[in-house]
Amino acid sequence: ALVTVSRGGSDFTARKVLENVTLTAYGPNGDPANAITASGRVATAGRSIAVDPNVIPMGNWVYIEGYGYRRAEDTGSAIKGNKIDIYFGEDQEAVQFGRKKASKVYVIGPNRP
């Protein structure tokens, strides 16, 4: 069932709503040149997330409650099920973020609202 939601100044239709998603963070690991994602794009702070493609299809935009719009551009061996790894431009920011829970994550689709 599609759900229409108004967030971040836009209305969008969510294909899927995930609840109790674990949020973790990652950074460039000291070298921004290492920030090439599984999709081949360069990881970008404020946009890139790593996902389980069985849960959130690669290339899809999501809206993470409290964090805004992000795009599924990466995967990781530890990213399984309802878990999202948010990319930060600085490793220290990723460390400070730690581990959090998102109340809701809306899976939108390939086009950003």
Side-chain angles (χ1 to χ4, degrees):
L2 300 176
V3 182
T4 300
V5 185
S6 185
R7 294 284 189 285
S10 301
D11 291 345
F12 59 83
T13 302
R15 296 172 176 211
K16 185 162 42 169
V17 180
L18 307 174
E19 299 196 11
N20 287 321
V21 177
T22 301
L23 302 176
T24 53
Y26 70 116
N29 204 15
D31 183 0
N34 287 337
I36 302 296
T37 64
S39 68
R41 291 176 172 268
V42 175
T44 304
R47 185 189 74 206
S48 303
I49 55 173
V51 300
D52 179 340
N54 294 316
V55 178
I56 300 171
M58 289 293 279
N60 272 222
W61 285 92
V62 301
Y63 184 89
I64 303 171
E65 204 67 77
Y67 300 94
Y69 295 103
R70 296 290 190 275
R71 190 169 189 214
E73 296 181 338
D74 211 352
T75 58
S77 57
I79 310 302
K80 298 282 181 243
N82 278 13
K83 188 172 177 187
I84 292 175
D85 213 4
I86 299 174
Y87 182 79
F88 285 88
E90 300 286 330
D91 293 319
Q92 192 54 42
E93 288 178 285
V95 170
Q96 286 169 346
F97 184 86
R99 184 185 193 96
K100 298 180 170 39
K101 281 275 189 198
S103 56
K104 288 195 167 128
V105 174
Y106 300 92
V107 180
I108 300 164
N111 299 315
R112 184 182 171 146

